[in-house]
Amino acid sequence: MRKIALALSLVLVAATAFAFVDGEEGLREMTLQRQRGEVSVLRGDNLIEVADESGIEPGDRIRTGGDGRAELRLEGQRRIELAPDSLVDVVDTATVDGVGGSLLAAADEGDELSIRFGTVSARSGDGRFRVDLGTGSSRVGVYEGSASIAAPGATTERVERYFESEVAGNDRTLDPRPLDIHEGDPWDQIHLNDVLALDERITKLGNGLATQLGGARPGRAYFSDLADAPVGFMDGYLKREGVPDLLIGITIASNTSSPLAAAFEESFGYRAQGGKWGLIARIMSASEDRLVAQLGKTIIDTGILAADASEGPGFGPGSRRRAGGASSGGKGTGGTDGSGGSSSPGAGGENPPGGGGDGGGDPDSGAPPPEEEPGGCLKKPVECLKDPVGGVIGDGGILDDGGILDDGGILGDGGLLGDDGLLP
C-alpha cells in the first residue's frame, strides 16, 4: 500500500508542477527578452505587454516602441535584436518577416537565420548582419562573416564583412559597397568601435598635413618620394582630390600587400562609394599601427620642409625634394656638365644651359637648397610650429589625441619608436 501511495503522490506532484507551466512562461525554444522601453507581442487578438521575457510562437507580431529595444531568440543559435520603432512577424523557428525598423541578426554554428522583407530574403548561417527596412529601399550590412540576399529572378548576392547592399524597391539588389557607418549608431559603436576610432585618428592626421602645408599643394614628385616609387597613376587624382585624402590613400596603399598602383586605385574606389578611411584600411588589411605611424612622421617631416622652404620646393610639379627635406635619390637639378652641378645625373636634363645647381635646389631657379640655421626647424622644430589652435597642437593637430605623441602615434605604443613599431 505504501508503494502505491508513494506512486500516486509522485503523479500528483508532477501534475501540479505541469499546471504551473503555462503557455506564456514555460520553457520554450523561442523567447523575447525586453531590454528597455515599450515592447509588445500581438498574438491573434491578444496584445501582450512584455515586462521581462515572454515565450514566442510562429504567427506572433513583435513591436518595439519609440524607446523600446528587445532581443528575439529563435531556435538554436539564432538571435535578432530589434531597434526602437521596429516591427517583425515570426514565421517559424528560423525565419521572420521584417515589416519596419532596424534589425540586427546573428547566426552561429550553421544555424541559418533568414529575414524576409518585400520579395527579398537576407540570410546567414555564420555571421552578424543588420537589415534597415525602408518603404522605398532597404539595406543589408554585414559586421561579421557574410550574408546572402535572394530576390526573385536574380542571382543571389553575397555580401562580405564590412560591406552592405541596398535593395531598391525591396525587390532588386544593388552591388555591394562599404558599410555606411556612423559614430551615433549604437550597433556601429558596438561592432565597429575600433574602426571608427581609427578613422578619426587618420582623418585628423590627414587634416594635419593640410594645416602644415598652409595651402600649398604637393605634386607628383612629393608623393613619389613619399612612396619611394613612381606614382604616375596618381596624376588624375592630384587635381581633383583633397590633400588629406591623397596622403591617406597613398599611405594605406603603401601598407598593403597589393601592388601600389592597384591598391591606391582600390582605396579611392571604396572612397568614391562613400567608405570612411578607417573602414577602407580595415577592408584592405592595411597595417594599422604602421599606417598611423607613417602618417604622423610624414606630417612632422612635411612641417619641417614647409617651414624651411615656404616658397614651395618639394610641392610643385617636377620637384624632387623629399618629405623629410632631403634631395631625392641623389639626383640633382643640374646636369653633369654644369659648372656647379653634382656628379650624379641631373633631374633637369643632362646638359642644362648655364650649368645646374648642387642637387637639391629649386628646379626652376637652379638655386641651392636653403641652409639650416642654428636653432632652426631641424634642431628646434617647436619654433616652427604655427597656428597652434586647430593646427599642430590643438584639436586635430599632430600633438592632439590620436596624434604623434598619443598611444598608437609615432612615439606611442605600436608607433614609430614604440614597441613593435618601425624602429623597435
Side-chain angles (χ1 to χ4, degrees), residues 314-367:
F315 304 120
S319 170
R320 297 299 296 168
R321 282 292 299 273
R322 281 195 182 278
S327 60
S328 172
K331 295 182 180 181
T333 56
T336 55
D337 296 333
S339 59
S342 92
S343 60
S344 59
E350 295 202 9
N351 296 284
D358 65 353
D362 188 328
D364 297 324
S365 67

mmCIF file of all heavy atoms in Angstrom, residues 314-367:
data_model
loop_
_atom_site.group_PDB
_atom_site.id
_atom_site.type_symbol
_atom_site.label_atom_id
_atom_site.label_comp_id
_atom_site.label_asym_id
_atom_site.label_seq_id
_atom_site.Cartn_x
_atom_site.Cartn_y
_atom_site.Cartn_z
ATOM 1 N N GLY A 314 59.540 71.026 -53.345
ATOM 2 C CA GLY A 314 59.012 69.759 -52.852
ATOM 3 C C GLY A 314 57.540 69.596 -53.114
ATOM 4 O O GLY A 314 57.010 68.510 -52.988
ATOM 5 N N PHE A 315 56.845 70.688 -53.513
ATOM 6 C CA PHE A 315 55.400 70.588 -53.697
ATOM 7 C C PHE A 315 54.961 70.810 -55.134
ATOM 8 O O PHE A 315 53.865 70.475 -55.503
ATOM 9 C CB PHE A 315 54.685 71.604 -52.794
ATOM 10 C CG PHE A 315 55.049 71.443 -51.358
ATOM 11 C CD1 PHE A 315 55.644 72.464 -50.652
ATOM 12 C CD2 PHE A 315 54.807 70.248 -50.714
ATOM 13 C CE1 PHE A 315 55.987 72.307 -49.320
ATOM 14 C CE2 PHE A 315 55.152 70.079 -49.377
ATOM 15 C CZ PHE A 315 55.741 71.112 -48.688
ATOM 16 N N GLY A 316 55.812 71.420 -55.956
ATOM 17 C CA GLY A 316 55.401 71.696 -57.322
ATOM 18 C C GLY A 316 55.700 70.540 -58.252
ATOM 19 O O GLY A 316 56.445 69.623 -57.921
ATOM 20 N N PRO A 317 55.118 70.551 -59.463
ATOM 21 C CA PRO A 317 55.410 69.507 -60.454
ATOM 22 C C PRO A 317 56.893 69.472 -60.777
ATOM 23 O O PRO A 317 57.513 70.498 -60.991
ATOM 24 C CB PRO A 317 54.582 69.945 -61.665
ATOM 25 C CG PRO A 317 53.506 70.828 -61.102
ATOM 26 C CD PRO A 317 54.146 71.533 -59.936
ATOM 27 N N GLY A 318 57.456 68.282 -60.782
ATOM 28 C CA GLY A 318 58.844 68.108 -61.133
ATOM 29 C C GLY A 318 59.810 68.305 -59.996
ATOM 30 O O GLY A 318 60.999 68.049 -60.148
ATOM 31 N N SER A 319 59.351 68.753 -58.851
ATOM 32 C CA SER A 319 60.259 68.943 -57.723
ATOM 33 C C SER A 319 60.695 67.599 -57.188
ATOM 34 O O SER A 319 59.950 66.643 -57.196
ATOM 35 C CB SER A 319 59.554 69.725 -56.618
ATOM 36 O OG SER A 319 60.329 69.711 -55.453
ATOM 37 N N ARG A 320 61.916 67.544 -56.681
ATOM 38 C CA ARG A 320 62.435 66.279 -56.182
ATOM 39 C C ARG A 320 62.825 66.357 -54.723
ATOM 40 O O ARG A 320 63.617 65.564 -54.238
ATOM 41 C CB ARG A 320 63.652 65.848 -57.004
ATOM 42 C CG ARG A 320 63.337 65.592 -58.463
ATOM 43 C CD ARG A 320 62.333 64.482 -58.622
ATOM 44 N NE ARG A 320 62.864 63.222 -58.143
ATOM 45 C CZ ARG A 320 62.138 62.129 -57.957
ATOM 46 N NH1 ARG A 320 60.837 62.160 -58.149
ATOM 47 N NH2 ARG A 320 62.698 61.023 -57.526
ATOM 48 N N ARG A 321 62.317 67.342 -53.961
ATOM 49 C CA ARG A 321 62.627 67.392 -52.540
ATOM 50 C C ARG A 321 61.850 66.309 -51.808
ATOM 51 O O ARG A 321 60.659 66.117 -52.020
ATOM 52 C CB ARG A 321 62.242 68.762 -51.969
ATOM 53 C CG ARG A 321 63.245 69.852 -52.284
ATOM 54 C CD ARG A 321 64.563 69.646 -51.558
ATOM 55 N NE ARG A 321 64.371 69.653 -50.123
ATOM 56 C CZ ARG A 321 64.386 70.775 -49.408
ATOM 57 N NH1 ARG A 321 64.568 71.937 -49.983
ATOM 58 N NH2 ARG A 321 64.219 70.718 -48.103
ATOM 59 N N ARG A 322 62.514 65.599 -50.932
ATOM 60 C CA ARG A 322 61.831 64.573 -50.145
ATOM 61 C C ARG A 322 60.986 65.201 -49.066
ATOM 62 O O ARG A 322 61.194 66.341 -48.673
ATOM 63 C CB ARG A 322 62.860 63.640 -49.494
ATOM 64 C CG ARG A 322 63.427 62.606 -50.440
ATOM 65 C CD ARG A 322 64.128 61.517 -49.652
ATOM 66 N NE ARG A 322 64.721 60.542 -50.531
ATOM 67 C CZ ARG A 322 64.051 59.542 -51.076
ATOM 68 N NH1 ARG A 322 62.765 59.406 -50.834
ATOM 69 N NH2 ARG A 322 64.672 58.688 -51.855
ATOM 70 N N ALA A 323 60.021 64.419 -48.551
ATOM 71 C CA ALA A 323 59.178 64.920 -47.480
ATOM 72 C C ALA A 323 59.987 65.248 -46.249
ATOM 73 O O ALA A 323 59.595 66.054 -45.435
ATOM 74 C CB ALA A 323 58.105 63.887 -47.129
ATOM 75 N N GLY A 324 61.124 64.615 -46.094
ATOM 76 C CA GLY A 324 61.947 64.880 -44.932
ATOM 77 C C GLY A 324 62.926 66.020 -45.129
ATOM 78 O O GLY A 324 63.704 66.328 -44.249
ATOM 79 N N GLY A 325 62.875 66.664 -46.287
ATOM 80 C CA GLY A 325 63.704 67.830 -46.508
ATOM 81 C C GLY A 325 64.988 67.536 -47.250
ATOM 82 O O GLY A 325 65.755 68.428 -47.539
ATOM 83 N N ALA A 326 65.255 66.283 -47.594
ATOM 84 C CA ALA A 326 66.484 65.927 -48.295
ATOM 85 C C ALA A 326 66.210 65.843 -49.777
ATOM 86 O O ALA A 326 65.083 65.708 -50.209
ATOM 87 C CB ALA A 326 67.019 64.593 -47.779
ATOM 88 N N SER A 327 67.248 65.859 -50.582
ATOM 89 C CA SER A 327 67.072 65.698 -52.008
ATOM 90 C C SER A 327 66.771 64.248 -52.315
ATOM 91 O O SER A 327 67.115 63.363 -51.563
ATOM 92 C CB SER A 327 68.334 66.156 -52.749
ATOM 93 O OG SER A 327 69.439 65.382 -52.345
ATOM 94 N N SER A 328 66.120 64.004 -53.453
ATOM 95 C CA SER A 328 65.633 62.662 -53.764
ATOM 96 C C SER A 328 66.660 61.852 -54.513
ATOM 97 O O SER A 328 67.104 62.224 -55.575
ATOM 98 C CB SER A 328 64.362 62.776 -54.600
ATOM 99 O OG SER A 328 63.972 61.532 -55.075
ATOM 100 N N GLY A 329 66.985 60.693 -53.932
ATOM 101 C CA GLY A 329 67.761 59.681 -54.628
ATOM 102 C C GLY A 329 69.087 60.173 -55.162
ATOM 103 O O GLY A 329 69.629 59.597 -56.089
ATOM 104 N N GLY A 330 69.631 61.266 -54.615
ATOM 105 C CA GLY A 330 70.915 61.756 -55.062
ATOM 106 C C GLY A 330 70.859 62.438 -56.416
ATOM 107 O O GLY A 330 71.881 62.753 -57.005
ATOM 108 N N LYS A 331 69.621 62.643 -56.954
ATOM 109 C CA LYS A 331 69.505 63.250 -58.266
ATOM 110 C C LYS A 331 69.429 64.761 -58.127
ATOM 111 O O LYS A 331 68.531 65.281 -57.493
ATOM 112 C CB LYS A 331 68.266 62.741 -58.998
ATOM 113 C CG LYS A 331 68.343 61.249 -59.318
ATOM 114 C CD LYS A 331 67.128 60.801 -60.092
ATOM 115 C CE LYS A 331 67.202 59.326 -60.421
ATOM 116 N NZ LYS A 331 66.040 58.862 -61.188
ATOM 117 N N GLY A 332 70.364 65.484 -58.743
ATOM 118 C CA GLY A 332 70.368 66.928 -58.659
ATOM 119 C C GLY A 332 69.564 67.538 -59.772
ATOM 120 O O GLY A 332 69.219 66.899 -60.755
ATOM 121 N N THR A 333 69.290 68.832 -59.645
ATOM 122 C CA THR A 333 68.555 69.514 -60.695
ATOM 123 C C THR A 333 69.475 69.984 -61.797
ATOM 124 O O THR A 333 69.026 70.337 -62.871
ATOM 125 C CB THR A 333 67.802 70.722 -60.115
ATOM 126 O OG1 THR A 333 68.741 71.561 -59.454
ATOM 127 C CG2 THR A 333 66.751 70.274 -59.136
ATOM 128 N N GLY A 334 70.761 70.031 -61.505
ATOM 129 C CA GLY A 334 71.704 70.453 -62.528
ATOM 130 C C GLY A 334 72.189 69.282 -63.344
ATOM 131 O O GLY A 334 72.015 68.122 -62.985
ATOM 132 N N GLY A 335 72.830 69.525 -64.464
ATOM 133 C CA GLY A 335 73.330 68.458 -65.319
ATOM 134 C C GLY A 335 74.748 68.097 -64.968
ATOM 135 O O GLY A 335 75.464 68.813 -64.276
ATOM 136 N N THR A 336 75.184 67.016 -65.519
ATOM 137 C CA THR A 336 76.536 66.556 -65.237
ATOM 138 C C THR A 336 77.579 67.466 -65.842
ATOM 139 O O THR A 336 78.724 67.473 -65.423
ATOM 140 C CB THR A 336 76.727 65.130 -65.786
ATOM 141 O OG1 THR A 336 76.403 65.132 -67.174
ATOM 142 C CG2 THR A 336 75.842 64.152 -65.068
ATOM 143 N N ASP A 337 77.179 68.223 -66.858
ATOM 144 C CA ASP A 337 78.151 69.098 -67.491
ATOM 145 C C ASP A 337 78.084 70.517 -66.955
ATOM 146 O O ASP A 337 78.809 71.392 -67.407
ATOM 147 C CB ASP A 337 77.929 69.144 -69.018
ATOM 148 C CG ASP A 337 78.162 67.775 -69.623
ATOM 149 O OD1 ASP A 337 78.938 66.998 -69.033
ATOM 150 O OD2 ASP A 337 77.567 67.485 -70.669
ATOM 151 N N GLY A 338 77.189 70.807 -66.002
ATOM 152 C CA GLY A 338 77.051 72.164 -65.480
ATOM 153 C C GLY A 338 78.251 72.531 -64.645
ATOM 154 O O GLY A 338 78.876 71.711 -64.002
ATOM 155 N N SER A 339 78.531 73.817 -64.641
ATOM 156 C CA SER A 339 79.712 74.253 -63.926
ATOM 157 C C SER A 339 79.611 74.057 -62.443
ATOM 158 O O SER A 339 80.618 73.913 -61.770
ATOM 159 C CB SER A 339 79.971 75.749 -64.231
ATOM 160 O OG SER A 339 78.851 76.517 -63.831
ATOM 161 N N GLY A 340 78.393 74.074 -61.929
ATOM 162 C CA GLY A 340 78.266 73.873 -60.487
ATOM 163 C C GLY A 340 77.472 72.643 -60.157
ATOM 164 O O GLY A 340 76.988 72.510 -59.052
ATOM 165 N N GLY A 341 77.264 71.749 -61.154
ATOM 166 C CA GLY A 341 76.373 70.618 -60.943
ATOM 167 C C GLY A 341 77.007 69.532 -60.128
ATOM 168 O O GLY A 341 78.199 69.499 -59.888
ATOM 169 N N SER A 342 76.150 68.555 -59.727
ATOM 170 C CA SER A 342 76.644 67.430 -58.955
ATOM 171 C C SER A 342 77.165 66.379 -59.909
ATOM 172 O O SER A 342 76.956 66.424 -61.106
ATOM 173 C CB SER A 342 75.530 66.879 -58.067
ATOM 174 O OG SER A 342 74.857 65.863 -58.713
ATOM 175 N N SER A 343 77.817 65.374 -59.357
ATOM 176 C CA SER A 343 78.362 64.307 -60.188
ATOM 177 C C SER A 343 77.321 63.275 -60.548
ATOM 178 O O SER A 343 77.575 62.397 -61.334
ATOM 179 C CB SER A 343 79.526 63.624 -59.445
ATOM 180 O OG SER A 343 79.053 63.076 -58.229
ATOM 181 N N SER A 344 76.131 63.339 -59.929
ATOM 182 C CA SER A 344 75.081 62.379 -60.256
ATOM 183 C C SER A 344 74.201 62.936 -61.354
ATOM 184 O O SER A 344 74.180 64.121 -61.605
ATOM 185 C CB SER A 344 74.238 62.087 -59.010
ATOM 186 O OG SER A 344 73.655 63.269 -58.531
ATOM 187 N N PRO A 345 73.403 62.061 -62.034
ATOM 188 C CA PRO A 345 72.559 62.528 -63.131
ATOM 189 C C PRO A 345 71.619 63.614 -62.649
ATOM 190 O O PRO A 345 71.059 63.525 -61.579
ATOM 191 C CB PRO A 345 71.792 61.256 -63.556
ATOM 192 C CG PRO A 345 72.668 60.135 -63.123
ATOM 193 C CD PRO A 345 73.349 60.612 -61.888
ATOM 194 N N GLY A 346 71.381 64.609 -63.458
ATOM 195 C CA GLY A 346 70.520 65.721 -63.074
ATOM 196 C C GLY A 346 69.091 65.487 -63.455
ATOM 197 O O GLY A 346 68.790 64.924 -64.493
ATOM 198 N N ALA A 347 68.173 65.971 -62.604
ATOM 199 C CA ALA A 347 66.751 65.826 -62.882
ATOM 200 C C ALA A 347 66.296 66.789 -63.949
ATOM 201 O O ALA A 347 65.235 66.639 -64.515
ATOM 202 C CB ALA A 347 65.944 66.046 -61.601
ATOM 203 N N GLY A 348 67.066 67.818 -64.213
ATOM 204 C CA GLY A 348 66.648 68.804 -65.204
ATOM 205 C C GLY A 348 67.246 68.558 -66.573
ATOM 206 O O GLY A 348 67.243 69.431 -67.417
ATOM 207 N N GLY A 349 67.792 67.385 -66.830
ATOM 208 C CA GLY A 349 68.397 67.082 -68.120
ATOM 209 C C GLY A 349 69.901 66.941 -67.978
ATOM 210 O O GLY A 349 70.503 67.438 -67.052
ATOM 211 N N GLU A 350 70.530 66.269 -68.923
ATOM 212 C CA GLU A 350 71.956 66.011 -68.804
ATOM 213 C C GLU A 350 72.804 67.222 -69.178
ATOM 214 O O GLU A 350 73.943 67.353 -68.779
ATOM 215 C CB GLU A 350 72.333 64.812 -69.665
ATOM 216 C CG GLU A 350 71.681 63.524 -69.180
ATOM 217 C CD GLU A 350 72.447 62.333 -69.663
ATOM 218 O OE1 GLU A 350 73.534 62.506 -70.207
ATOM 219 O OE2 GLU A 350 71.966 61.214 -69.486
ATOM 220 N N ASN A 351 72.282 68.147 -69.999
ATOM 221 C CA ASN A 351 73.070 69.305 -70.409
ATOM 222 C C ASN A 351 72.242 70.578 -70.267
ATOM 223 O O ASN A 351 71.915 71.229 -71.255
ATOM 224 C CB ASN A 351 73.530 69.159 -71.866
ATOM 225 C CG ASN A 351 74.462 67.981 -72.045
ATOM 226 O OD1 ASN A 351 75.620 68.047 -71.680
ATOM 227 N ND2 ASN A 351 73.939 66.893 -72.624
ATOM 228 N N PRO A 352 71.843 70.936 -69.069
ATOM 229 C CA PRO A 352 71.039 72.143 -68.917
ATOM 230 C C PRO A 352 71.876 73.370 -69.217
ATOM 231 O O PRO A 352 73.059 73.413 -68.920
ATOM 232 C CB PRO A 352 70.642 72.105 -67.436
ATOM 233 C CG PRO A 352 71.723 71.333 -66.777
ATOM 234 C CD PRO A 352 72.154 70.314 -67.781
ATOM 235 N N PRO A 353 71.264 74.398 -69.849
ATOM 236 C CA PRO A 353 72.041 75.594 -70.181
ATOM 237 C C PRO A 353 72.515 76.307 -68.933
ATOM 238 O O PRO A 353 71.788 76.457 -67.967
ATOM 239 C CB PRO A 353 71.032 76.454 -70.972
ATOM 240 C CG PRO A 353 69.689 75.954 -70.538
ATOM 241 C CD PRO A 353 69.876 74.498 -70.274
ATOM 242 N N GLY A 354 73.762 76.767 -68.999
ATOM 243 C CA GLY A 354 74.281 77.585 -67.922
ATOM 244 C C GLY A 354 74.656 76.816 -66.684
ATOM 245 O O GLY A 354 74.865 77.409 -65.637
ATOM 246 N N GLY A 355 74.719 75.489 -66.748
ATOM 247 C CA GLY A 355 75.085 74.718 -65.561
ATOM 248 C C GLY A 355 73.888 74.522 -64.668
ATOM 249 O O GLY A 355 72.831 75.108 -64.851
ATOM 250 N N GLY A 356 74.031 73.678 -63.621
ATOM 251 C CA GLY A 356 72.934 73.354 -62.730
ATOM 252 C C GLY A 356 73.257 73.706 -61.319
ATOM 253 O O GLY A 356 74.295 74.272 -61.019
ATOM 254 N N GLY A 357 72.330 73.337 -60.447
ATOM 255 C CA GLY A 357 72.509 73.567 -59.026
ATOM 256 C C GLY A 357 73.336 72.469 -58.416
ATOM 257 O O GLY A 357 74.005 71.714 -59.107
ATOM 258 N N ASP A 358 73.224 72.363 -57.085
ATOM 259 C CA ASP A 358 74.062 71.392 -56.399
ATOM 260 C C ASP A 358 73.329 70.106 -56.092
ATOM 261 O O ASP A 358 73.800 69.315 -55.323
ATOM 262 C CB ASP A 358 74.623 72.006 -55.114
ATOM 263 C CG ASP A 358 73.521 72.319 -54.115
ATOM 264 O OD1 ASP A 358 72.331 72.177 -54.473
ATOM 265 O OD2 ASP A 358 73.861 72.692 -52.991
ATOM 266 N N GLY A 359 72.138 69.911 -56.686
ATOM 267 C CA GLY A 359 71.457 68.633 -56.490
ATOM 268 C C GLY A 359 70.265 68.738 -55.592
ATOM 269 O O GLY A 359 69.534 67.785 -55.462
ATOM 270 N N GLY A 360 69.978 69.870 -54.959
ATOM 271 C CA GLY A 360 68.807 69.911 -54.096
ATOM 272 C C GLY A 360 68.037 71.192 -54.210
ATOM 273 O O GLY A 360 67.186 71.475 -53.395
ATOM 274 N N GLY A 361 68.326 72.028 -55.191
ATOM 275 C CA GLY A 361 67.687 73.329 -55.281
ATOM 276 C C GLY A 361 66.374 73.304 -56.012
ATOM 277 O O GLY A 361 65.885 72.273 -56.438
ATOM 278 N N ASP A 362 65.804 74.482 -56.181
ATOM 279 C CA ASP A 362 64.553 74.658 -56.919
ATOM 280 C C ASP A 362 64.815 74.350 -58.379
ATOM 281 O O ASP A 362 65.705 74.938 -58.993
ATOM 282 C CB ASP A 362 64.085 76.109 -56.746
ATOM 283 C CG ASP A 362 62.698 76.316 -57.316
ATOM 284 O OD1 ASP A 362 62.361 75.635 -58.303
ATOM 285 O OD2 ASP A 362 61.968 77.180 -56.775
ATOM 286 N N PRO A 363 64.059 73.446 -59.005
ATOM 287 C CA PRO A 363 64.322 73.085 -60.400
ATOM 288 C C PRO A 363 64.102 74.246 -61.346
ATOM 289 O O PRO A 363 64.588 74.231 -62.467
ATOM 290 C CB PRO A 363 63.344 71.940 -60.677
ATOM 291 C CG PRO A 363 62.257 72.132 -59.678
ATOM 292 C CD PRO A 363 62.937 72.694 -58.466
ATOM 293 N N ASP A 364 63.305 75.224 -60.964
ATOM 294 C CA ASP A 364 63.051 76.361 -61.841
ATOM 295 C C ASP A 364 64.144 77.415 -61.722
ATOM 296 O O ASP A 364 64.537 78.051 -62.687
ATOM 297 C CB ASP A 364 61.701 76.981 -61.527
ATOM 298 C CG ASP A 364 60.573 76.003 -61.776
ATOM 299 O OD1 ASP A 364 60.697 75.228 -62.748
ATOM 300 O OD2 ASP A 364 59.584 76.020 -61.021
ATOM 301 N N SER A 365 64.619 77.658 -60.507
ATOM 302 C CA SER A 365 65.590 78.727 -60.302
ATOM 303 C C SER A 365 67.021 78.244 -60.347
ATOM 304 O O SER A 365 67.937 79.011 -60.561
ATOM 305 C CB SER A 365 65.343 79.392 -58.945
ATOM 306 O OG SER A 365 65.631 78.490 -57.897
ATOM 307 N N GLY A 366 67.261 76.968 -60.096
ATOM 308 C CA GLY A 366 68.612 76.444 -60.049
ATOM 309 C C GLY A 366 69.342 76.821 -58.789
ATOM 310 O O GLY A 366 70.528 76.557 -58.661
ATOM 311 N N ALA A 367 68.643 77.431 -57.826
ATOM 312 C CA ALA A 367 69.286 77.850 -56.590
ATOM 313 C C ALA A 367 69.501 76.662 -55.685
ATOM 314 O O ALA A 367 68.717 75.718 -55.694
ATOM 315 C CB ALA A 367 68.433 78.897 -55.887
#
